[in-house]
Amino acid sequence: MIWRQRLMPCGAFCRNIKMRHEHLTSPARAGLFFCRLPAYTLTMRKLILLLALLCAPVCAQAWPGDVLTVHDGDTLRVQPAEGKAVSIRVYGVDCPELGQPYGAEARNLTAHLLKGRQVEIIPAQTRKSYRREVAGVVLLDDMIVLQDTLISAGLAWVDNRYCKMAVCDQWRQHQADAKAARRGLWADDSPIPPWTWRRMPHKRAVPTIAQ
C-alpha cells in the first residue's frame, strides 16, 4: 500500500499508513495542498487547485504533464501537453542520494506513484535549480502530494534551506512523526543528510527509471 496524503484546505489531513488510515488534525495553512472527499466534483477540485495557486509564492500557472522518467526521489522529467519535456526538482524536500542508504527506496516510491501518470506541476519559485524547474508535484486524480508522501514515509528531509512556505511547518511535523516512528531512513541512529552526503567521495550512479 502506498503512502499518501489527502487534505482539505484549512481542514483535516489524513494519510494511508500501513494499510490503515491515521487521521491528523493539523490544518493546512498555505501552499500546494488539496483534499478530496468522495462527493467532490471536478469543478470543486479545480477550485481547490486555484486556491492553492493563490497561496503559491510565485505568480506562475500550474500545468499538467505526463511523468516520463524518475531520476531519483525528488527529480523527475515531465512532458507537458505542448513543448519539450521539463526536468522538475521537487520543492521543499531533499531525498537521499541514489548511492546513499534509502536513496533507491525514495526513487522507487516516486516511480511507483508517478511513472507514466499525469501529474499537476505547481511552480514554487522563479529561479531554476541546475536547469530544473522547482515545483510541487501533485497526483491530482488521487490528491497525492509527493512531498508529504516522501516525508511521511521517512524517505526525505524537509530542506530548511529552501522550504519557506507556511506548509513547511506541517511537513516538519510529519518529519518528526516519521522520526519518532523510525520509519525509512530514521531507522538509522544518525542518518546523513544528502547535502552532507554530496560532499563525500563515495557516490555511485544508479540508472534512471524510464516509463
Side-chain angles (χ1 to χ4, degrees), residues 47-109:
L47 282 174
I48 294 170
L49 178 59
L50 177 60
L51 287 172
L53 290 173
L54 292 174
C55 295
V58 296
C59 296
Q61 183 176 2
W63 51 273
D66 296 322
V67 176
L68 300 177
T69 60
V70 174
H71 174 66
D72 56 24
D74 53 36
T75 306
L76 50 149
R77 194 162 180 81
V78 179
Q79 177 63 59
E82 297 180 359
K84 296 181 180 179
V86 179
S87 291
I88 301 296
R89 173 63 169 86
V90 180
Y91 169 78
V93 303
D94 204 353
C95 291
E97 293 292 318
L98 290 177
Q100 185 176 359
Y102 299 98
E105 288 86 345
R107 181 193 60 176
N108 292 342
L109 177 57

Side-chain angles (χ1 to χ4, degrees), residues 62-180:
W63 51 273
D66 296 322
V67 176
L68 300 177
T69 60
V70 174
H71 174 66
D72 56 24
D74 53 36
T75 306
L76 50 149
R77 194 162 180 81
V78 179
Q79 177 63 59
E82 297 180 359
K84 296 181 180 179
V86 179
S87 291
I88 301 296
R89 173 63 169 86
V90 180
Y91 169 78
V93 303
D94 204 353
C95 291
E97 293 292 318
L98 290 177
Q100 185 176 359
Y102 299 98
E105 288 86 345
R107 181 193 60 176
N108 292 342
L109 177 57
T110 297
H112 176 73
L113 289 171
L114 303 183
K115 186 167 67 72
R117 300 191 66 180
Q118 186 176 86
V119 295
E120 199 75 18
I121 300 298
I122 305 176
Q125 64 183 46
T126 55
R127 180 176 56 85
K128 291 190 175 183
S129 173
Y130 298 98
R131 300 183 179 179
R132 301 169 298 179
E133 183 166 344
V134 180
V137 179
V138 178
L139 187 58
L140 200 56
D141 286 344
D142 295 328
M143 292 299 171
I144 293 173
V145 180
L146 179 60
Q147 293 98 307
D148 194 78
T149 300
L150 289 164
I151 292 164
S152 297
L155 294 175
W157 278 261
V158 178
D159 195 334
N160 293 320
R161 300 169 300 171
Y162 306 112
C163 199
K164 303 301 183 183
M165 286 185 181
V167 78
C168 295
D169 291 337
Q170 182 70 49
W171 290 347
R172 291 183 188 100
Q173 181 58 57
H174 292 178
Q175 177 174 284
D177 294 342
K179 185 175 182 179

